[in-house]
Structures are given as C-alpha cells and as structure tokens.
Amino acid sequence: MEEGFYQKLREQWTRSLGHSNGVLFAKAYATACALRGQLQEALSAVQQTLSVPEALFQGDYARVQRDQLLLLIPLLKRALGEDASEDWIVLVRQSHDASLHQMALGALLEGVQPEQAERLRLLLEQLLGDEHLVGVRDQLYWMQTQLALLEGRKLKAQEIAEALLGRYPGSRFAAGAYWVLAPVMLLRDTPGYRQAGDYLSKMARTH
C-alpha cells in the first residue's frame, strides 16, 4: 500500500473521530494498518472509535457498522496473541447480530480450561435471561452441557441436554445433545446400553 494513501486514510479517520462517519473511516484505516502488519495500531484505532458516545451509533446501519468494529477487537487481539475473552463477552452483550452472537459464544467455549469453567458457566446463566439473545438460547444450553462435562458433572450435563431437546427439538445443537446423552447413559452405575443406542440413532437421524 502506498504511503501517501495510508497517510490520507489516517488523516480522514482522525478528523472523523466523534462523528457519525467515524466508523467507516475507522474500518478503512484499521484494514490498512492490518495489511501493513501494524496490528496494534489497528486495534488502537478501533478502540478509540468505539469510545465515542453510543448516541452516534443510532439507526440500523450505524449499529451494523458498530457491530463490525466490536468484532475486530477480539480478532485483532487474537492475532496479537492476547486474551480476547472479555471482548467476546462484550460482543455478545452489545451486538445486535445473531450470527455474531454465535461466533462469539463459540470463541468463548473454544479452548476453555477447567479452572475457567465456573466463571463461564455463571456468565451463561446470566445470558440465558437476556431477551436479545433469544435466538441463541439453544447454543447457550449446549455450551452448558460442555462445561458440565468439563467439570465432571455428568448428571448435570444430562439434565441440560434433555432440557435443550425438550425446548428446542429442531435445534442445530440437537445432535450434540444426543452425543452428550449417549455416553452419559454408558457411564451410569448400571449402564443403559439400550438408551445409549437410542440416542445415537436419534443423533444419526438429525443429520
């Protein structure tokens, strides 16, 4: 990228800070920085742009643009090798896009360690009561099953998986719920071989 064009983008972004068109220039400038390998500068630009009053992001188009900036923060932090868990949480809480909710929740569960499970479990319990996340409640239930298994709470995982299937039988996480239930049946004091087989058959039919 030519230096002159890069500097022009930087000037446009700087002048636009605090204005409604700041998001567009921030995205362009952050992209230019990333292409030059200046990830920290890209992250700083996005964070500065999002620090302005939220009133500047009124309207559907402005909210979409803001959501895209919110997504850039954890992506840039991950590229920098930094912990982005708090930023994924911000994206879940503040975004208006269900697809971004799904992505952020998936990122939160990815690579979670046993010592982190309790904190994430408490967060998921809070998020289940959030009305703007109604479109991903089945995913929240499925995540709870994974955390319960990580913590060695097999009966709790069974309870949540059954609740997921009862409330969201057509969910894309139904197969995952059956996959949770089948081994739990086998690990009981008296193994439920037939029930495990039934769950595996149902799992196969959901694909």
Side-chain angles (χ1 to χ4, degrees), residues 40-158:
Q40 193 63 58
E41 175 65 15
L43 178 60
S44 177
V46 172
Q47 290 173 326
Q48 286 185 61
T49 303
L50 288 171
S51 68
V52 302
E54 193 168 342
L56 292 176
F57 299 104
Q58 297 303 310
D60 291 342
Y61 179 75
R63 282 195 290 267
V64 168
Q65 299 302 313
R66 184 174 186 272
D67 284 352
Q68 292 176 3
L69 284 189
L70 287 171
L71 173 60
L72 280 177
I73 292 179
L75 292 179
L76 287 167
K77 282 193 174 182
R78 177 178 285 183
L80 287 163
E82 298 179 12
D83 178 25
S85 56
E86 293 299 326
D87 304 288
W88 288 120
I89 293 172
V90 169
L91 183 60
V92 171
R93 290 190 180 281
Q94 296 188 15
S95 170
H96 299 80
D97 186 330
S99 64
L100 293 184
H101 297 156
Q102 293 170 7
M103 180 190 301
L105 290 170
L108 281 171
L109 185 62
E110 182 182 324
V112 66
Q113 299 301 309
E115 63 271 15
Q116 302 168 316
E118 182 179 4
R119 180 172 180 270
L120 182 53
R121 174 166 51 81
L122 293 174
L123 172 67
L124 295 179
E125 290 172 2
Q126 294 174 11
L127 295 178
L128 277 168
D130 195 324
E131 288 301 321
H132 95 288
L133 296 176
V134 63
V136 292
R137 279 186 181 157
D138 58 340
Q139 183 174 359
L140 293 170
Y141 276 107
W142 181 78
M143 290 174 68
Q144 286 186 318
T145 68
Q146 302 307 293
L147 292 177
L149 291 174
L150 185 63
E151 295 176 305
R153 300 184 302 139
K154 297 186 292 294
L155 292 180
K156 188 63 177 179
Q158 176 186 350

